[in-house]
Amino acid sequence: MTTQKEDRLVTLEEFIIQAQNRFPGATGELSQLLRDISLAAKIISREVNKAGITNILGYDGSTNIHGESVKKLDLFADSQLISALERSGITCMVISEENDGIVQLSSSGGKYIVYMDPLDGSSNIDVNVSIGSIFSIYMREPRFDQTLREEDALQPGTKQVAAGYVLYGSSTTLAYTTGLNVSLFTLDPSLGEFILSDRKVQIPDHGKIYSINEGSYNSWELGLKKYIKYCQEDDQESGRPYSARYIGSMVADLHRTLIKGGIFIYPHSKRYPNGKLRLMYECNPLSFIIEQAGGMATDGHQRIMDIEPTAIHQQTPIYIGSKENVSHVMDFLHEFAGKEEAEVEI
Ligand code: AHM
Ligand code: MG
């Protein structure tokens, strides 16, 4: 039976304050940081929705540090998030996919470090397919010397104090965790507020969807090829073949995986020997979310959040999703490690 209280709409603002009140010593700074990000997300969402009619679509002519073409909306999202974080003065530096080095904010004494991918999946912008923003928050380690250095930001994912994403889809959804469950909010455009839609999202332990760019099949390791063939085999008892779904926007593919279960994979390949996706602002925050929802994320050898980073823009392979699916693909990777295709029938 639902109570009157549960029926009432809870805004993100209200939810954050309630959560903060449960910790008597809390300074409210992390809450402020989450509110800043949600404000920028509303502005980006508005712009994404009207992009087609305002001529903001398309390339701005430059390339980012990874040599990829930069789209106008990427730059817009980047500057909105940075200025939202600058405003409250509690973040000392930002590391963004769109900026080569660290971005030092005027509040250089601020205690938080924020990683972000301001607009992930940007190749989907022009075709009206879902895209997203990702964020990951760390505390700056206290030091006597106050100068900001890139090394301050090189912390493993286990040290994240909060992380989340915003999905600009058929509706705008925000998911975040501070290490106590995952909460999900939906933007009500008529109210201009994110409304709580689930306070404790749980990913199914097993799912029947696999998500990978199969165009790269020929350059995968043998264990992965065998796993994908396993997913495609007919077996009524275990519900195979599984369905293939691949949007090409990590946030959208991960959001579906969170809700429906299954696995998302971006492996290493001949083209991307270290994987394509970025550890610090794509893989760690989404791994934090998935783990908090009861799922699993690895690079094929170790837990993503245990990786000791050596560079702010480093890449990693990723296998992420429902516990059983991720454990299963790991079994395949181990079983066929070092074996050549010629030795084994696929
Ligand atoms: P981006 O940050 O430049 O948008 O690239 C990251 C995106 C992910 O959202 C997505 O999972 C992946 O690239 C898709 O890559 P591919 O086209 O190689 O399958
Ligand atoms: Mg990205």
Side-chain angles (χ1 to χ4, degrees):
M1 196 180 79
T2 51
T3 63
Q4 218 178 350
K5 203 165 172 221
E6 283 167 335
D7 284 341
R8 196 171 64 78
L9 295 183
V10 177
T11 66
L12 174 65
E13 190 90 1
E14 224 180 314
F15 184 83
I16 289 173
I17 292 167
Q18 282 171 10
Q20 182 192 321
N21 290 344
R22 283 200 288 275
F23 296 92
T27 60
E29 286 177 317
L30 182 58
S31 305
Q32 182 59 46
L33 199 52
L34 292 168
R35 287 202 295 263
D36 293 341
I37 291 173
S38 74
L39 174 63
K42 285 185 210 172
I43 299 171
I44 298 167
S45 175
R46 190 187 60 196
E47 228 43 44
V48 166
N49 285 329
K50 66 179 191 196
I53 47 171
T54 55
N55 194 27
I56 205 167
L57 288 175
Y59 296 93
D60 84 337
S62 63
T63 50
N64 70 12
I65 52 148
H66 313 289
E68 300 151 339
S69 304
V70 173
K71 307 242 171 161
K72 289 178 190 170
L73 262 180
D74 298 25
L75 297 179
F76 177 82
D78 191 52
S79 68
Q80 284 303 321
L81 280 159
I82 290 177
S83 56
L85 294 168
E86 177 95 74
R87 223 171 293 139
S88 52
I90 45 186
T91 304
C92 59
M93 66 165 125
V94 174
I95 295 106
S96 157
E97 178 167 3
E98 300 305 336
N99 298 285
D100 193 352
I102 60 172
V103 179
Q104 189 164 332
L105 301 190
S106 49
S107 47
S108 55
K111 68 178 185 206
Y112 289 105
I113 297 170
V114 178
Y115 277 92
M116 61 186 200
D117 184 348
L119 214 54
D120 181 62
S122 47
S123 63
N124 276 326
I125 298 173
D126 286 353
V127 288
N128 212 357
V129 170
S130 301
I131 46 183
S133 302
I134 313 173
F135 61 92
S136 165
I137 304 173
Y138 291 83
M139 294 265 282
R140 184 181 178 190
E141 303 278 0
R143 276 200 283 111
F144 291 115
D145 166 13
Q146 279 302 302
T147 44
L148 289 173
R149 299 200 194 108
E150 201 169 292
E151 297 88 87
D152 296 332
L154 294 177
Q155 302 181 37
T158 46
K159 294 215 169 159
Q160 292 172 102
V161 293
Y165 64 78
V166 185
L167 171 64
Y168 312 104
S170 49
S171 61
T172 296
T173 302
L174 183 149
Y176 85 90
T177 182
T178 53
L180 300 164
N181 306 320
V182 177
S183 313
L184 210 60
F185 301 82
T186 306
L187 182 63
D188 180 332
S190 63
L191 300 173
E193 295 276 8
F194 279 105
I195 305 296
L196 180 67
S197 35
D198 194 338
R199 58 175 79 229
K200 195 178 176 190
V201 190
Q202 285 289 300
I203 181 172
D205 285 340
H206 178 76
K208 292 180 183 170
I209 299 175
Y210 71 95
S211 187
I212 186 167
N213 184 342
E214 253 177 295
S216 305
Y217 179 90
N218 285 332
S219 65
W220 297 341
E221 66 184 287
L222 185 58
L224 180 56
K225 287 181 175 172
K226 295 287 278 182
Y227 175 73
I228 297 300
K229 287 291 170 210
Y230 164 88
C231 294
Q232 295 169 343
E233 271 163 22
D234 267 316
D235 180 45
Q236 268 188 347
E237 210 175 303
S238 59
R240 286 176 290 143
Y242 296 162
S243 291
R245 294 282 184 276
Y246 191 73
I247 298 166
S249 285
M250 192 189 190
V251 174
D253 280 315
L254 253 291
H255 184 68
R256 183 201 54 248
T257 307
L258 175 67
I259 305 300
K260 295 199 165 178
I263 188 164
F264 170 85
I265 301 172
Y266 207 110
H268 67 85
S269 62
K270 286 179 195 128
R271 184 169 174 206
Y272 297 113
N274 301 314
K276 174 187 178 189
L277 299 175
R278 265 58 86 159
L279 174 66
M280 301 305 286
Y281 41 81
E282 293 176 328
C283 298
N284 267 336
L286 294 170
S287 299
F288 195 16
I289 292 274
I290 290 290
E291 282 198 10
Q292 282 300 310
M296 214 175 141
T298 86
D299 68 353
H301 300 281
Q302 64 171 329
R303 182 183 175 208
I304 290 285
M305 292 208 294
D306 282 338
I307 298 174
E308 285 291 339
T310 53
I312 53 178
H313 294 290
Q314 88 185 58
Q315 293 160 307
T316 176
I318 186 165
Y319 301 79
I320 180 169
S322 296
K323 260 187 191 151
E324 289 177 16
N325 301 62
V326 177
S327 306
H328 202 184
V329 72
M330 294 278 283
D331 292 343
F332 274 87
L333 297 180
H334 291 150
E335 187 182 341
F336 294 97
K339 291 198 177 127
E340 292 298 323
E341 220 158 285
E343 300 169 35
V344 183
E345 196 190 332
I346 299 187

